[in-house]
Amino acid sequence: MEVGEPRKYIYSDVELDQHEGQEIAELMASSQQPLPDPDRWLDEDIHRNIMLTTVDAVIGWARSSSLWPAICFPACCAFELIAANASRFDLSRFGMEILRASPRQADLMITAGTLTWKMAPQVRRIYHQMAEPKWVIAMGACGISGGIFRSSYNVVPGYNRIMPVDVYVPGCPPRPEALIYGIRMLHRKIAQAHTDIKLQPM
Ligand code: SF4
């Protein structure tokens, strides 16, 4: 087309309107159903096996499902803890049947018994040697407050005097069901915790 040559229109305005109307009518006729989700290209098998979640939820689930208690049983509550570990109550259900002799491989202390001031430095050392993150369950009246020995000159009036306690399980001694209830409370607490993950710069 040369410069200055007048533009030629093939269709009149009426014909353009008719053409546009016909195009719209065809689009309406072919658009009666919603378009399928773009994810339809995924196999149904993949659809059923994808789970969306958060890093916090995954880490909380993993931590709460694999608590390993340190061996630290100073007095008589220990027998109920042992019963909770045995076949009838079966702590293995919660992935925590492995009692660790090394505190470096443990992340939970269940304070099953009366603590004397003479033993306190050793128990606190065990706590400090445990891996982070770590949790403490004060089991029994003695673990919570010193129990019936609270007024004794040589008894620690509660483990929370020497270490932070997450869950308190009352009783003298608490039955295995009560201990398991406390463990389940700790599971919920761990699962709801926020994980402060710091990514290393590349
Ligand atoms: S709470 Fe009762 S059973 Fe447990 S250590 Fe104290 S005295 Fe013993």
Side-chain angles (χ1 to χ4, degrees), residues 74-78 80 111-115 139-144 146-149 169-174:
C76 29
C77 270
E80 297 300 319
T111 65
T114 324
L115 182 64
M139 179 183 180
C142 290
I144 295 172
I148 56 174
F149 309 111
V169 180
C172 181

Side-chain angles (χ1 to χ4, degrees), residues 78-147:
F79 292 98
E80 297 300 319
L81 175 55
I82 293 166
N85 259 285
S87 54
R88 181 170 179 186
F89 295 98
D90 193 17
L91 278 186
S92 303
R93 290 177 288 162
F94 310 115
M96 56 182 299
E97 72 276 22
I98 306 176
L99 299 173
R100 304 308 302 182
S102 166
R104 298 189 197 287
Q105 298 169 355
D107 55 4
L108 171 64
M109 178 177 283
I110 300 176
T111 65
T114 324
L115 182 64
T116 60
W117 282 113
K118 188 176 177 74
M119 294 168 62
Q122 285 71 33
V123 171
R124 192 161 71 150
R125 185 173 304 134
I126 291 173
Y127 173 77
H128 284 316
Q129 289 175 336
M130 285 163 53
E132 291 278 0
K134 54 194 172 189
W135 299 273
V136 176
I137 294 177
M139 179 183 180
C142 290
I144 295 172
S145 65

